[in-house]
Amino acid sequence: MAKHRTEASPQRQSGELARREATPGSQIELWPEVLQLERERIESQDRRTEVLSQMVAADDAADQRLFEFQMEKMRRDDADRIDRRTFGMRLIWALLGVTVLLVSAAFLLLAFGDEAQRTAATYFLAVLLTMGGGYGLIAALTRGVSRFLRP
């Protein structure tokens, strides 16, 4: 085994580093080169770390922009939903008011009108009650069918 080391030793000493290794005290001369290599390696790691930190910062900024966009979209959707609900409630109240006004007018015509006005008011109330009954029947059928179709 020792013989093998001595035979391999001349092959290892074939470069400039091997010649420096062979001379006594030359390892001290290699320290500045080793330190320079180590500094370059550390600088390379620092640059790599800096690039990674910039990449993480860019990802964080993109995530923040996406979060803000989604929050703004949710705010707009909520505002639209509130606007639609407000419009719907106003429409319902307006229709209810018009209906109450018309029914009140029909009852007034029944009570205080002449014969032609009473006939018209009776016909109007009959049509209105028929429409209400039809709506009730359709709503009941729709609810009944949807109850059977629910999972």
Coordinates of all heavy atoms in Angstrom, one line a residue, residues 68-136:
E68 N -55.1 42.8 -3.3 CA -55.8 44.1 -3.4 C -56.9 44.1 -4.5 O -58.0 44.6 -4.3 CB -54.8 45.3 -3.6 CG -54.0 45.5 -2.3 CD -52.9 46.5 -2.6 OE1 -52.7 47.0 -3.7 OE2 -52.1 46.8 -1.6
F69 N -56.5 43.5 -5.6 CA -57.5 43.4 -6.7 C -58.7 42.6 -6.3 O -59.8 43.0 -6.6 CB -56.8 42.7 -7.9 CG -57.7 42.4 -9.0 CD1 -58.2 43.4 -9.9 CD2 -58.2 41.1 -9.2 CE1 -59.1 43.1 -10.9 CE2 -59.1 40.8 -10.3 CZ -59.5 41.8 -11.1
Q70 N -58.5 41.5 -5.6 CA -59.6 40.6 -5.2 C -60.5 41.3 -4.2 O -61.7 41.2 -4.2 CB -59.1 39.3 -4.7 CG -58.5 38.4 -5.7 CD -59.5 37.9 -6.7 OE1 -60.7 37.9 -6.5 NE2 -59.1 37.6 -7.9
M71 N -59.8 42.1 -3.3 CA -60.6 42.8 -2.3 C -61.4 43.9 -2.9 O -62.6 44.1 -2.5 CB -59.6 43.4 -1.2 CG -59.0 42.4 -0.3 SD -60.2 41.4 0.6 CE -60.9 42.6 1.7
E72 N -60.8 44.6 -3.9 CA -61.6 45.6 -4.6 C -62.7 45.0 -5.4 O -63.8 45.6 -5.4 CB -60.6 46.4 -5.5 CG -61.3 47.6 -6.2 CD -61.9 48.6 -5.3 OE1 -61.3 48.8 -4.2 OE2 -62.9 49.3 -5.7
K73 N -62.5 43.9 -6.0 CA -63.6 43.2 -6.7 C -64.7 42.8 -5.7 O -65.9 42.9 -6.1 CB -63.0 42.0 -7.4 CG -64.0 41.2 -8.2 CD -63.4 40.0 -8.9 CE -64.5 39.3 -9.7 NZ -64.4 37.9 -9.7
M74 N -64.3 42.3 -4.6 CA -65.3 41.9 -3.6 C -66.1 43.2 -3.1 O -67.4 43.1 -3.0 CB -64.7 41.3 -2.4 CG -64.3 39.8 -2.6 SD -63.4 39.1 -1.3 CE -64.4 39.3 0.1
R75 N -65.4 44.3 -2.9 CA -66.1 45.5 -2.6 C -67.1 46.0 -3.7 O -68.2 46.4 -3.4 CB -65.1 46.7 -2.3 CG -64.5 46.6 -1.0 CD -63.6 47.8 -0.7 NE -62.5 47.4 0.2 CZ -61.2 47.2 -0.2 NH1 -60.9 47.5 -1.5 NH2 -60.3 46.8 0.6
R76 N -66.6 45.9 -4.9 CA -67.5 46.3 -6.0 C -68.7 45.3 -6.1 O -69.8 45.8 -6.4 CB -66.8 46.3 -7.3 CG -65.9 47.6 -7.5 CD -65.3 47.6 -8.9 NE -64.1 46.8 -8.7 CZ -63.6 45.9 -9.6 NH1 -64.2 45.7 -10.7 NH2 -62.5 45.2 -9.4
D77 N -68.5 44.0 -6.0 CA -69.6 43.1 -6.0 C -70.6 43.3 -4.9 O -71.8 43.2 -5.1 CB -69.0 41.6 -5.9 CG -68.3 41.2 -7.2 OD1 -68.4 41.9 -8.2 OD2 -67.6 40.2 -7.1
D78 N -70.1 43.6 -3.7 CA -71.0 43.9 -2.6 C -71.8 45.2 -2.9 O -73.0 45.2 -2.6 CB -70.2 44.1 -1.3 CG -69.7 42.8 -0.7 OD1 -70.1 41.7 -1.2 OD2 -68.8 42.8 0.2
A79 N -71.1 46.2 -3.4 CA -71.8 47.4 -3.7 C -72.9 47.2 -4.8 O -74.0 47.7 -4.7 CB -70.8 48.5 -4.2
D80 N -72.5 46.4 -5.8 CA -73.5 46.0 -6.9 C -74.7 45.3 -6.3 O -75.8 45.5 -6.6 CB -72.9 45.2 -8.0 CG -71.9 46.0 -8.8 OD1 -71.9 47.3 -8.8 OD2 -71.1 45.4 -9.6
R81 N -74.4 44.3 -5.4 CA -75.5 43.5 -4.8 C -76.4 44.4 -3.9 O -77.6 44.3 -4.0 CB -74.8 42.4 -3.9 CG -75.8 41.4 -3.4 CD -75.1 40.3 -2.6 NE -74.0 39.7 -3.3 CZ -72.7 39.7 -2.9 NH1 -72.4 40.4 -1.9 NH2 -71.8 39.2 -3.6
I82 N -75.8 45.4 -3.2 CA -76.6 46.3 -2.4 C -77.4 47.2 -3.3 O -78.6 47.4 -3.0 CB -75.7 47.1 -1.5 CG1 -75.1 46.2 -0.4 CG2 -76.4 48.3 -0.9 CD1 -74.0 46.9 0.4
D83 N -76.8 47.7 -4.4 CA -77.6 48.5 -5.4 C -78.8 47.7 -6.0 O -79.9 48.2 -6.1 CB -76.7 49.0 -6.5 CG -75.7 50.1 -6.0 OD1 -75.9 50.6 -4.9 OD2 -74.8 50.3 -6.7
R84 N -78.5 46.4 -6.4 CA -79.6 45.6 -6.9 C -80.7 45.4 -5.9 O -81.9 45.4 -6.2 CB -79.0 44.3 -7.4 CG -78.4 44.4 -8.8 CD -78.1 43.0 -9.4 NE -77.4 42.1 -8.5 CZ -76.1 42.0 -8.4 NH1 -75.3 42.7 -9.2 NH2 -75.6 41.1 -7.6
R85 N -80.3 45.1 -4.7 CA -81.3 44.9 -3.6 C -82.1 46.1 -3.3 O -83.3 46.1 -3.2 CB -80.6 44.4 -2.3 CG -81.6 44.1 -1.3 CD -81.0 43.3 -0.1 NE -82.0 42.9 0.7 CZ -82.1 43.2 2.0 NH1 -81.2 44.0 2.6 NH2 -83.1 42.7 2.8
T86 N -81.4 47.3 -3.3 CA -82.1 48.5 -3.1 C -83.1 48.8 -4.2 O -84.2 49.2 -4.0 CB -81.1 49.7 -3.0 OG1 -80.2 49.4 -1.9 CG2 -81.8 51.0 -2.7
F87 N -82.7 48.6 -5.4 CA -83.5 48.8 -6.6 C -84.7 47.8 -6.5 O -85.9 48.2 -6.7 CB -82.8 48.6 -7.9 CG -83.7 48.7 -9.1 CD1 -84.2 49.9 -9.6 CD2 -84.1 47.5 -9.8 CE1 -85.0 49.9 -10.7 CE2 -84.9 47.5 -10.9 CZ -85.4 48.8 -11.3
G88 N -84.5 46.6 -6.2 CA -85.6 45.6 -6.1 C -86.6 46.0 -5.0 O -87.8 45.9 -5.2
M89 N -86.1 46.4 -3.8 CA -87.0 46.8 -2.8 C -87.8 48.1 -3.2 O -89.0 48.1 -2.9 CB -86.2 47.1 -1.5 CG -85.6 45.9 -0.9 SD -86.8 44.6 -0.5 CE -87.7 45.3 0.9
R90 N -87.2 49.0 -3.8 CA -87.9 50.2 -4.3 C -89.0 49.8 -5.3 O -90.1 50.3 -5.3 CB -86.9 51.2 -4.9 CG -86.1 51.9 -3.9 CD -85.2 53.0 -4.5 NE -84.4 53.6 -3.5 CZ -83.4 54.4 -3.8 NH1 -83.1 54.7 -5.0 NH2 -82.8 55.0 -2.8
L91 N -88.6 48.9 -6.2 CA -89.6 48.4 -7.2 C -90.8 47.7 -6.5 O -91.9 47.9 -6.9 CB -88.9 47.5 -8.2 CG -89.7 46.9 -9.3 CD1 -90.2 48.1 -10.2 CD2 -89.0 45.9 -10.1
I92 N -90.5 46.8 -5.5 CA -91.5 46.1 -4.8 C -92.4 47.1 -4.1 O -93.7 47.0 -4.2 CB -90.9 45.1 -3.9 CG1 -90.4 43.9 -4.7 CG2 -92.0 44.6 -2.9 CD1 -89.5 42.9 -3.8
W93 N -91.8 48.1 -3.4 CA -92.7 49.1 -2.7 C -93.5 49.9 -3.7 O -94.7 50.2 -3.4 CB -91.8 50.0 -1.8 CG -91.4 49.3 -0.6 CD1 -90.1 48.9 -0.2 CD2 -92.2 49.0 0.5 NE1 -90.2 48.3 1.0 CE2 -91.4 48.4 1.5 CE3 -93.6 49.2 0.8 CZ2 -92.0 47.9 2.7 CZ3 -94.1 48.7 2.0 CH2 -93.3 48.1 3.0
A94 N -92.9 50.3 -4.8 CA -93.7 51.0 -5.8 C -94.8 50.2 -6.4 O -96.0 50.7 -6.5 CB -92.7 51.5 -6.9
L95 N -94.6 49.0 -6.7 CA -95.7 48.1 -7.2 C -96.7 47.9 -6.1 O -97.9 47.9 -6.4 CB -95.1 46.8 -7.7 CG -94.3 46.8 -9.0 CD1 -93.7 45.4 -9.2 CD2 -95.1 47.3 -10.1
L96 N -96.3 47.7 -4.9 CA -97.2 47.5 -3.8 C -98.1 48.8 -3.6 O -99.3 48.7 -3.4 CB -96.5 47.2 -2.5 CG -97.4 46.9 -1.3 CD1 -98.2 45.6 -1.5 CD2 -96.5 46.7 0.0
G97 N -97.4 49.9 -3.7 CA -98.2 51.2 -3.6 C -99.2 51.4 -4.7 O -100.3 51.8 -4.4
V98 N -98.7 51.1 -5.9 CA -99.7 51.2 -7.0 C -100.8 50.3 -6.9 O -102.0 50.6 -7.1 CB -98.9 51.0 -8.4 CG1 -99.9 50.9 -9.5 CG2 -97.9 52.2 -8.6
T99 N -100.6 49.1 -6.4 CA -101.6 48.1 -6.3 C -102.6 48.5 -5.2 O -103.8 48.4 -5.4 CB -101.0 46.7 -5.9 OG1 -100.1 46.3 -6.9 CG2 -102.1 45.6 -5.8
V100 N -102.1 49.0 -4.1 CA -102.9 49.5 -3.0 C -103.8 50.7 -3.5 O -105.0 50.8 -3.2 CB -102.1 49.8 -1.7 CG1 -102.9 50.6 -0.7 CG2 -101.6 48.6 -1.1
L101 N -103.2 51.5 -4.2 CA -103.9 52.7 -4.8 C -105.0 52.3 -5.7 O -106.1 52.8 -5.6 CB -102.9 53.6 -5.5 CG -103.5 54.9 -6.0 CD1 -103.9 55.8 -4.9 CD2 -102.4 55.6 -6.9
L102 N -104.7 51.3 -6.6 CA -105.7 50.9 -7.6 C -106.8 50.1 -6.9 O -108.0 50.3 -7.2 CB -105.1 50.0 -8.6 CG -104.2 50.7 -9.6 CD1 -103.5 49.7 -10.6 CD2 -105.0 51.7 -10.4
V103 N -106.5 49.3 -5.9 CA -107.5 48.5 -5.2 C -108.4 49.5 -4.3 O -109.6 49.4 -4.3 CB -106.9 47.4 -4.3 CG1 -107.9 46.8 -3.3 CG2 -106.3 46.4 -5.1
S104 N -107.8 50.5 -3.7 CA -108.5 51.5 -3.0 C -109.4 52.2 -3.9 O -110.6 52.5 -3.5 CB -107.6 52.5 -2.3 OG -106.7 51.8 -1.4
A105 N -108.9 52.6 -5.1 CA -109.8 53.3 -6.0 C -111.0 52.4 -6.5 O -112.1 52.9 -6.6 CB -108.9 53.7 -7.2
A106 N -110.7 51.1 -6.7 CA -111.8 50.2 -7.1 C -112.8 50.1 -6.0 O -114.0 50.1 -6.3 CB -111.2 48.9 -7.4
F107 N -112.4 50.0 -4.7 CA -113.4 50.0 -3.6 C -114.1 51.3 -3.5 O -115.3 51.3 -3.2 CB -112.7 49.6 -2.3 CG -112.4 48.1 -2.2 CD1 -111.1 47.6 -2.0 CD2 -113.5 47.2 -2.3 CE1 -110.9 46.3 -1.8 CE2 -113.2 45.8 -2.1 CZ -111.9 45.4 -1.9
L108 N -113.5 52.4 -3.7 CA -114.2 53.6 -3.7 C -115.2 53.7 -4.8 O -116.4 54.2 -4.6 CB -113.2 54.8 -3.8 CG -112.4 55.2 -2.5 CD1 -111.4 56.2 -2.8 CD2 -113.4 55.6 -1.4
L109 N -114.8 53.2 -6.0 CA -115.8 53.2 -7.1 C -117.0 52.3 -6.8 O -118.1 52.6 -7.1 CB -115.1 52.8 -8.4 CG -114.2 53.9 -9.0 CD1 -113.5 53.3 -10.2 CD2 -115.0 55.1 -9.3
L110 N -116.7 51.2 -6.1 CA -117.8 50.2 -5.7 C -118.7 50.9 -4.7 O -120.0 50.7 -4.8 CB -117.2 49.0 -5.1 CG -116.7 47.9 -6.0 CD1 -116.1 46.7 -5.3 CD2 -117.8 47.4 -6.9
A111 N -118.2 51.7 -3.8 CA -119.0 52.3 -2.8 C -119.7 53.5 -3.2 O -120.9 53.7 -2.9 CB -118.1 52.6 -1.6
F112 N -119.0 54.4 -4.0 CA -119.6 55.7 -4.3 C -119.8 56.0 -5.8 O -120.2 57.1 -6.2 CB -118.7 56.8 -3.8 CG -118.5 56.7 -2.3 CD1 -117.2 56.4 -1.8 CD2 -119.5 57.0 -1.4 CE1 -117.1 56.3 -0.4 CE2 -119.4 56.9 -0.1 CZ -118.1 56.6 0.5
G113 N -119.5 55.0 -6.7 CA -119.6 55.2 -8.1 C -121.0 54.9 -8.6 O -121.9 54.3 -7.9
D114 N -121.3 55.3 -9.9 CA -122.5 55.0 -10.5 C -122.5 53.5 -11.0 O -121.5 52.8 -10.8 CB -122.8 56.0 -11.7 CG -121.8 56.0 -12.8 OD1 -120.9 55.2 -12.7 OD2 -121.9 56.8 -13.7
E115 N -123.5 53.1 -11.7 CA -123.6 51.7 -12.1 C -122.4 51.3 -13.1 O -121.9 50.2 -12.9 CB -124.9 51.5 -12.8 CG -125.3 50.0 -13.0 CD -125.4 49.2 -11.6 OE1 -125.8 49.8 -10.6 OE2 -124.9 48.1 -11.6
A116 N -122.0 52.1 -14.0 CA -121.0 51.7 -15.0 C -119.6 51.7 -14.2 O -118.8 50.8 -14.5 CB -120.9 52.8 -16.1
Q117 N -119.4 52.6 -13.3 CA -118.2 52.5 -12.5 C -118.1 51.3 -11.6 O -117.1 50.7 -11.4 CB -118.0 53.8 -11.7 CG -117.8 55.0 -12.5 CD -117.8 56.3 -11.7 OE1 -118.4 56.4 -10.6 NE2 -117.2 57.4 -12.2
R118 N -119.3 50.9 -11.0 CA -119.3 49.7 -10.2 C -119.0 48.5 -11.0 O -118.3 47.6 -10.6 CB -120.7 49.6 -9.5 CG -120.9 50.5 -8.4 CD -122.2 50.3 -7.8 NE -122.5 51.3 -6.8 CZ -123.7 51.8 -6.5 NH1 -124.7 51.3 -7.1 NH2 -123.8 52.8 -5.7
T119 N -119.5 48.4 -12.2 CA -119.3 47.3 -13.1 C -117.8 47.2 -13.4 O -117.2 46.1 -13.4 CB -120.1 47.4 -14.4 OG1 -121.5 47.5 -14.0 CG2 -120.0 46.1 -15.2
A120 N -117.2 48.3 -13.8 CA -115.8 48.4 -14.1 C -114.9 48.0 -12.9 O -113.9 47.2 -13.0 CB -115.4 49.7 -14.7
A121 N -115.3 48.5 -11.7 CA -114.5 48.2 -10.5 C -114.6 46.7 -10.2 O -113.7 46.0 -9.8 CB -115.0 49.0 -9.4
T122 N -115.8 46.1 -10.4 CA -116.0 44.7 -10.1 C -115.2 43.9 -11.1 O -114.6 42.9 -10.7 CB -117.5 44.3 -10.2 OG1 -118.3 45.2 -9.4 CG2 -117.8 42.9 -9.9
Y123 N -115.2 44.2 -12.3 CA -114.4 43.5 -13.3 C -112.9 43.6 -13.0 O -112.2 42.6 -13.1 CB -114.7 44.1 -14.7 CG -113.9 43.4 -15.8 CD1 -114.2 42.1 -16.2 CD2 -112.8 44.1 -16.4 CE1 -113.5 41.5 -17.2 CE2 -112.1 43.5 -17.4 CZ -112.4 42.2 -17.8 OH -111.6 41.6 -18.8
F124 N -112.5 44.8 -12.6 CA -111.1 45.0 -12.3 C -110.7 44.2 -11.1 O -109.6 43.5 -11.1 CB -110.8 46.5 -12.0 CG -109.4 46.8 -11.5 CD1 -108.3 46.7 -12.3 CD2 -109.2 47.1 -10.2 CE1 -107.0 47.0 -11.9 CE2 -107.9 47.4 -9.7 CZ -106.8 47.3 -10.5
L125 N -111.5 44.2 -10.0 CA -111.2 43.4 -8.9 C -111.2 41.9 -9.2 O -110.4 41.1 -8.6 CB -112.1 43.7 -7.7 CG -111.9 45.1 -7.1 CD1 -113.0 45.4 -6.1 CD2 -110.5 45.1 -6.4
A126 N -112.1 41.4 -10.1 CA -112.2 40.0 -10.4 C -110.9 39.6 -11.2 O -110.3 38.6 -10.9 CB -113.4 39.8 -11.3
V127 N -110.5 40.5 -12.1 CA -109.2 40.2 -12.8 C -108.0 40.2 -11.9 O -107.2 39.3 -11.9 CB -109.0 41.3 -14.0 CG1 -107.6 41.2 -14.5 CG2 -110.0 41.1 -15.1
L128 N -108.0 41.2 -10.9 CA -106.9 41.2 -10.0 C -106.9 40.0 -9.1 O -105.8 39.4 -8.8 CB -107.0 42.5 -9.1 CG -105.8 42.9 -8.3 CD1 -104.7 43.2 -9.3 CD2 -106.1 44.1 -7.5
L129 N -108.0 39.6 -8.6 CA -108.1 38.3 -7.8 C -107.7 37.1 -8.6 O -107.1 36.2 -8.1 CB -109.4 38.2 -7.1 CG -109.8 39.2 -6.0 CD1 -111.2 39.1 -5.6 CD2 -108.8 39.1 -4.9
T130 N -108.1 37.0 -9.8 CA -107.8 35.9 -10.7 C -106.2 35.9 -10.9 O -105.6 34.8 -10.9 CB -108.5 36.0 -12.1 OG1 -109.9 36.1 -11.9 CG2 -108.2 34.8 -12.9
M131 N -105.6 37.0 -11.1 CA -104.2 37.1 -11.3 C -103.5 36.7 -10.0 O -102.5 35.9 -10.0 CB -103.7 38.5 -11.7 CG -104.1 38.9 -13.1 SD -103.7 40.6 -13.5 CE -102.1 40.9 -12.9
G132 N -104.0 37.1 -8.8 CA -103.4 36.7 -7.6 C -103.5 35.2 -7.3 O -102.6 34.6 -6.9
G133 N -104.6 34.6 -7.7 CA -104.8 33.2 -7.6 C -103.9 32.4 -8.5 O -103.3 31.4 -8.1
G134 N -103.8 32.9 -9.7 CA -102.9 32.2 -10.7 C -101.4 32.3 -10.2 O -100.7 31.3 -10.3
Y135 N -101.0 33.4 -9.7 CA -99.7 33.6 -9.1 C -99.5 32.6 -7.9 O -98.5 31.9 -7.8 CB -99.4 35.0 -8.7 CG -98.1 35.1 -7.9 CD1 -96.9 35.1 -8.6 CD2 -98.0 35.2 -6.5 CE1 -95.7 35.2 -8.0 CE2 -96.8 35.2 -5.9 CZ -95.7 35.2 -6.6 OH -94.5 35.3 -5.9
G136 N -100.5 32.5 -7.1 CA -100.4 31.6 -5.9 C -100.3 30.2 -6.4 O -99.5 29.4 -5.8

